[in-house]
């Protein structure tokens, strides 16, 4: 059978674009790609890149005070959200242009519209056109979801926060994962009064307990009002509550299209928590989960299996139950990180177009949480490791030189989880400024299977925070 394309990619994020351009540019395949929104996907347009720019912006708020301790006379001004947002959007436009150019220069034909799967070898575009392909690659990514509750549409999700018309003075963030905690720190650093609800006992579930405990303490020290064991019980515009004479009557507020983001439109939101706490906020931000973009894609109709969360189920080679259809990135809900999606895309090309079946290694992936301070982590947490085997824990927490000299209370943490039997470092966890930069390098050692003795043999770089990683001689406890 003659196909229109060798490969049709649905989704223009980092993973899909990488697979498309390498298959076409390096392997001579005839490739098409469809994207219904902006090229670059979640990471470039609605996630990693704009978020990190906001992290950088928020970190300057304390510069004047810290500089004063070091002898500088610096006057702190206010943050100009409009100026920053304009420059940020220009950068995102530039990056999207780069993605488009990469595809064009590789010979990939692009369609700026939604596509869905019609049969194992056919893709249908929104305008009704259909194309056949020997292989179809699903790379649609994921999206933030709102909870199923009255008036949830009035709140922001992560896609909205980069487009706020102005900066709110007060915000309630609902959630305790890395997205919630990162934006709590970002907004607090930009001068917003932040309250955070999390239904669990401690934020950042799934990360090392000691590390996330320190981050929680540091966030509270910065002024973030964290309520654990709390969730939103009721939410409505403050004006509607007052006009209706009470919250219960206001719950019938009609649904609309635009979230309340900065006190405009419907005005501030009144919120009551499950613990009885009440507050009024210029904006509410739900960071309560994400879902794979598999709705109305025709996948189950052609035999592609979906998991409980709507994710595309794939094997070790990213192949679905339909042999001609593969999936990579967040739509598979394996490890939802941009570098992982890119590696999955490269492995797909190796497998399908180079005849070199390649599995993606999802073990010992370093990652960072861009709170303030940041957390860098690779390998097993203490809690996970001790469920597997006996371990020694090497850990230190201290005020680094820069903070101590300035009289700031901020602390950092360096931690190694080490196998008693083999001396192999099973996990490394860092809470400190620029921990993301540190963990990238530590991740190389952990991935190689370095032992604690290997760390000990490494001479310290002095004076640095990270030297503690190689100078911790005795375990603080064993488990």
């Amino acid at each position: 059978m003659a196909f229109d394309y060798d490969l049709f990619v649905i989704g223009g994020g980092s993973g899909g674009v990488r697979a498309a351009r390498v298959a076409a540019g390096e392997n001579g395949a005839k490739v098409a790609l469809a994207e219904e929104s902006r090229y670059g996907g979640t990471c470039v347009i609605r996630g990693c890149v704009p978020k990190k720019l906001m992290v950088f912006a928020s970190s300057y708020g304390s510069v004047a005070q810290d500089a004063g301790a070091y002898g500088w006379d610096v006057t702190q001004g206010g943050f100009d959200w409009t100026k920053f947002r304009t420059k940020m959007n220009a950068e995102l436009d530039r990056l999207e242009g780069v993605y488009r150019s990469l595809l064009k220069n590789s010979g990939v034909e692009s369609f700026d519209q939604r596509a869905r799967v019609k049969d194992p070898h056919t893709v249908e575009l929104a305008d009704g056109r259909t194309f056949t392909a020997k292989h179809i690659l699903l790379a649609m990514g994921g999206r933030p979801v709102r909870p199923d509750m009255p008036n949830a549409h009035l709140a922001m999700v992560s896609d909205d926060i980069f487009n706020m018309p102005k900066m709110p003075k007060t915000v309630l963030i609902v959630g305790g994962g890395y997205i919630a905690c990162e934006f709590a720190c970002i907004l607090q650093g930009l001068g917003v009064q932040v309250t955070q609800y999390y239904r669990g006992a401690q934020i950042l579930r799934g990360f090392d307990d000691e590390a996330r405990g320190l981050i929680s303490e540091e966030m509270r020290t910065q002024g973030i009002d964290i309520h654990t064991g709390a969730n939103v019980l009721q939410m409505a515009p403050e004006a509607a509550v007052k006009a209706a004479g009470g919250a219960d009557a206001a719950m019938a507020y009609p649904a609309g299209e635009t979230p309340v983001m900065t006190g405009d439109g419907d005005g501030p939101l009144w919120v009551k928590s499950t613990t009885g706490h009440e507050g009024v906020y210029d904006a509410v931000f739900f960071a309560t989960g994400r879902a794979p973009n598999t709705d109305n894609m025709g996948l189950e109709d052609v035999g592609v299996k979906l998991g409980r969360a709507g994710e595309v189920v794939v094997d070790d080679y990213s192949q679905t139950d339909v042999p001609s259809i593969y999936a990579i990135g967040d739509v598979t809900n394996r490890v939802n990180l941009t570098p992982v999606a890119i590696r999955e895309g490269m492995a797909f090309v190796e497998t399908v177009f180079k005849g070199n079946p390649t599995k993606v290694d999802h073990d010992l992936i370093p990652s960072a949480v861009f709170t303030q301070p940041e957390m860098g982590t690779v390998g097993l947490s203490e809690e996970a490791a001790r469920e597997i085997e006996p371990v020694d824990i090497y850990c230190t927490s201290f005020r680094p030189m820069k903070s101590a000299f300035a009289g700031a209370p901020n602390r950092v943490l360096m931690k190694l989880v080490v196998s008693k039997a083999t001396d192999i470092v099973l996990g490394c966890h860092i809470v400190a400024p620029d921990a993301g930069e540190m963990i990238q390098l530590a991740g190389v050692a952990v991935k190689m299977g370095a032992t604690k003795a290997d760390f000990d043999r490494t001479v310290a770089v002095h004076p640095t925070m990270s030297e503690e990683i190689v100078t911790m001689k005795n375990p603080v406890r064993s488990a």
Side-chain angles (χ1 to χ4, degrees):
M1 176 181 176
F3 298 102
D4 297 322
Y5 298 100
D6 298 309
L7 172 64
F8 200 109
V9 180
I10 303 179
S14 297
V17 168
R18 177 65 65 89
R21 70 183 185 84
V22 173
E26 297 182 13
N27 295 276
K30 187 177 182 182
V31 181
L33 182 147
E35 169 57 55
E36 67 174 334
S37 182
R38 298 184 64 182
Y39 288 72
T42 296
C43 179
V44 173
I45 304 300
R46 299 173 293 276
C48 319
V49 173
K51 176 191 70 180
K52 192 64 181 291
L53 292 174
M54 288 184 73
V55 169
F56 291 145
S58 67
S59 68
Y60 287 100
S62 60
V63 166
Q65 180 178 343
D66 292 346
Y70 279 87
W72 288 91
D73 183 9
V74 179
T75 301
Q76 180 174 343
F79 173 67
D80 188 334
W81 166 248
T82 301
K83 179 179 180 181
F84 169 78
R85 186 189 62 193
T86 300
K87 189 168 184 179
M88 176 179 69
N89 286 335
E91 175 64 5
L92 302 186
D93 291 343
R94 184 189 71 81
L95 292 173
E96 183 179 13
V98 170
Y99 271 64
R100 286 182 176 273
S101 295
L102 288 171
L103 290 171
K104 182 179 179 180
N105 294 339
S106 298
V108 177
E109 185 174 0
S110 299
F111 298 96
D112 293 352
Q113 56 183 294
R114 180 177 174 81
R116 66 191 305 274
V117 177
K118 190 172 182 179
D119 67 40
H121 290 285
T122 305
V123 170
E124 182 180 30
L125 300 181
D127 63 11
R129 286 182 292 171
T130 60
F131 296 97
T132 59
K134 186 176 181 180
H135 303 285
I136 297 172
L137 179 62
L138 307 174
M140 299 88 68
R143 67 188 186 281
V145 295
R146 289 179 172 83
D148 183 14
M149 62 170 289
N151 295 328
H153 67 284
L154 298 174
M156 291 188 292
V157 291
S158 57
D159 286 358
D160 304 313
I161 202 162
F162 306 111
N163 299 311
M164 295 184 297
K166 66 180 182 181
M167 188 63 62
K169 293 181 180 179
T170 60
V171 65
L172 169 65
I173 296 178
V174 184
Y178 73 93
I179 295 175
C181 294
E182 287 174 340
F183 278 106
C185 292
I186 288 169
L187 293 174
Q188 189 278 332
L190 296 177
V192 181
Q193 182 180 332
V194 178
T195 302
Q196 184 174 356
Y197 287 175
Y198 177 51
R199 64 185 180 183
Q202 180 61 286
I203 59 171
L204 296 170
R205 181 173 64 88
F207 292 93
D208 185 87
D209 279 356
E210 201 164 9
R212 66 191 182 127
L214 179 57
I215 289 177
S216 177
E217 291 174 12
E218 292 293 311
M219 288 173 65
R220 285 189 163 103
T221 298
Q222 293 165 25
I224 298 170
D225 185 15
I226 300 175
H227 296 243
T228 54
N231 205 348
V232 175
L233 179 65
Q234 292 178 306
M235 182 175 69
E238 181 189 30
V241 174
K242 291 179 177 178
D248 291 338
M251 289 304 104
Y253 188 79
E257 297 296 329
T258 305
V260 174
M261 294 192 290
T262 58
D264 295 326
D266 294 303
L269 292 171
W270 170 88
V271 180
K272 183 177 181 179
S273 79
T274 51
T275 60
H277 177 266
E278 294 185 35
V280 175
Y281 307 94
D282 290 337
V284 175
F285 171 28
F286 282 119
T288 50
R290 295 179 62 84
N293 284 325
T294 54
D295 294 351
N296 303 313
M297 289 297 300
L299 299 178
E300 290 181 295
D301 293 339
V302 301
V304 173
K305 183 180 179 181
L306 301 183
R308 186 173 299 178
E311 75 278 13
V312 178
V313 178
V314 295
D315 64 13
D316 291 342
Y317 300 94
S318 296
Q319 190 175 37
T320 72
D321 285 350
V322 180
S324 59
I325 300 178
Y326 290 73
I328 61 171
D330 291 6
V331 78
T332 67
N333 201 29
R334 288 178 286 182
V335 179
N336 296 341
L337 297 170
T338 297
V340 175
I342 291 172
R343 288 196 170 228
E344 289 170 355
M346 295 296 290
F348 161 78
V349 173
E350 285 286 332
T351 299
V352 174
F353 290 98
K354 294 186 177 182
N356 177 30
T358 302
K359 297 180 181 180
V360 177
D361 184 357
H362 290 108
D363 291 330
L364 298 175
I365 296 173
S367 63
V369 179
F370 295 105
T371 45
Q372 295 177 16
E374 295 177 7
M375 174 165 61
T377 179
V378 61
L380 296 175
S381 66
E382 176 181 344
E383 295 70 39
R386 67 189 183 199
E387 292 293 322
I388 300 172
E389 61 176 295
V391 292
D392 287 325
I393 305 301
Y394 296 80
C395 185
T396 181
S397 180
F398 56 96
R399 281 202 304 164
M401 179 190 297
K402 185 177 181 180
S403 297
F405 185 85
N410 310 90
R411 301 184 66 82
V412 301
L413 177 143
M414 308 284 165
K415 182 173 185 177
L416 297 176
V417 180
V418 180
S419 167
K420 273 182 171 291
T422 66
D423 198 42
I424 290 175
V425 177
L426 303 175
C428 177
H429 310 281
I430 301 172
V431 177
D434 296 320
E437 304 290 347
M438 297 184 208
I439 205 65
Q440 180 68 83
L441 302 180
V444 176
V446 175
K447 186 68 174 177
M448 291 177 67
T451 63
K452 181 61 170 64
D454 292 326
F455 276 66
D456 292 342
R457 282 195 294 271
T458 304
V459 176
V461 178
H462 182 76
T464 66
M465 292 181 288
S466 57
E467 68 181 293
E468 297 291 335
I469 286 291
V470 299
T471 59
M472 295 184 289
K473 297 303 180 185
N474 299 308
V476 295
R477 59 184 172 275
S478 299

